[in-house]
Amino acid sequence: MSEKLKESLSAVIDGEADEFELRRVLDEIGKEMPITIGVAVAAGAIGDVSVLEFRESRGWEVRYPFFTDQFVAARLGPNEHLDTHIDGITGATLSVNAVTRIARVAL
């Protein structure tokens, strides 16, 4: 879990939240198992994405900042799709799709 998301979740628990409007922890199926993902949203844009629990045997690269940082500042565009292009990861297509779906749901 990223430090930014940890601090954000702690602020919610302590009742001191003011940086992010919305925090969600959601599960989405990768290939066969759920991936638990935390998303922080502020002013209609993603502030942070963090993979909290990854249970699949493949596709674990979605946990790393080189992937999750792509979602920062993304918003919903036309047809309920993200307005930012998200680069895929070879061999992790289903995990990439799962994280992208959760980002859309969180917005």
Side-chain angles (χ1 to χ4, degrees):
M1 178 182 325
S2 73
E3 287 301 314
K4 190 174 183 181
L5 189 58
K6 281 182 190 176
E7 291 170 11
S8 175
L9 292 174
S10 293
V12 170
I13 292 168
D14 297 339
E16 302 167 355
D18 59 16
E19 182 179 350
F20 292 112
E21 296 173 358
L22 178 65
R23 293 149 196 89
R24 298 207 180 213
V25 176
L26 302 163
D27 285 331
E28 180 64 40
I29 299 297
K31 181 176 181 179
E32 299 171 344
M33 302 293 291
I35 302 169
T36 304
I37 303 162
V39 181
V41 177
I46 293 177
D48 190 37
V49 172
S50 185
V51 176
L52 305 175
E53 186 71 34
F54 189 85
R55 299 170 185 91
E56 297 280 2
S57 60
R58 292 188 170 94
W60 47 266
E61 297 89 349
V62 297
R63 296 181 298 182
Y64 294 113
F66 78 85
F67 177 72
T68 59
D69 288 350
Q70 298 180 86
F71 292 91
V72 174
R75 297 176 177 275
L76 278 183
N79 301 322
E80 301 293 315
H81 291 283
L82 296 178
D83 67 353
T84 303
H85 174 74
I86 304 299
D87 289 330
I89 300 172
T90 302
T93 303
L94 297 176
S95 298
V96 167
N97 292 344
V99 176
T100 303
R101 279 191 304 271
I102 287 297
R104 289 173 42 209
V105 167
L107 289 170

